[in-house]
Amino acid sequence: MKNSIFEKMGGTYHREGNYLLPDLAPPDSFPVGIWGHRRRHYLKTHQKPVYTALLLSGELDSHLAEIDQQAAKMFSQLVQQMAEQEGITEQLKADRQMEWVGRMNNVRNRASEMVNGELIFV
């Protein structure tokens, strides 16, 4: 169906009942993990203008995916480095499991705080 108003607007349309609806493709989505979700929550609650600007520009998903990737890499490296520095080994894990669990939880919590402070809550 040709209609001058639709020709001026451009794009393609399809008919559903009595309505012509635009053919819209959803934006590309990126997988986002826990760090990306934390960043999204922080932006939504504490940096509303930044969140809105990223959302409206279509860059929010890519921003969250990038932060998630950087944070996961940083967290992994920090845990590994701190565990080595504190002598938390596989031998300790085999000999005294509960001590190993407690010390690793401590390392993971400190690493998480560092990632939050440097990448997520900025």
Side-chain angles (χ1 to χ4, degrees), residues 32-44:
V32 177
I34 186 70
W35 300 107
H37 288 291
R38 287 180 184 176
R39 177 72 173 160
R40 179 192 323 260
H41 178 73
Y42 173 74
L43 290 175
K44 274 179 116 172

Side-chain angles (χ1 to χ4, degrees), residues 105-117:
N105 282 343
N106 184 288
V107 165
R108 291 173 60 84
N109 287 337
R110 287 185 287 144
S112 179
E113 288 299 319
M114 292 171 79
V115 171
N116 285 337

Side-chain angles (χ1 to χ4, degrees), residues 52-121:
T52 304
L54 287 170
L55 182 64
L56 293 176
S57 69
E59 297 175 6
L60 180 63
D61 285 343
S62 62
H63 170 75
L64 295 176
E66 181 180 332
I67 291 291
D68 185 68
Q69 202 172 44
Q70 290 175 0
K73 182 178 178 183
M74 182 180 180
F75 178 77
S76 178
Q77 289 174 345
L78 285 170
V79 168
Q80 183 180 8
Q81 290 172 356
M82 287 191 278
E84 286 175 8
Q85 288 173 351
E86 296 179 20
I88 303 171
T89 63
E90 289 298 314
Q91 187 61 43
L92 177 65
K93 183 179 180 180
D95 294 343
R96 297 186 305 264
Q97 291 178 353
M98 292 309 291
E99 180 183 344
W100 181 87
V101 168
R103 291 176 68 184
M104 281 304 290
N105 282 343
N106 184 288
V107 165
R108 291 173 60 84
N109 287 337
R110 287 185 287 144
S112 179
E113 288 299 319
M114 292 171 79
V115 171
N116 285 337
E118 291 186 29
L119 290 175
I120 306 302
F121 303 141

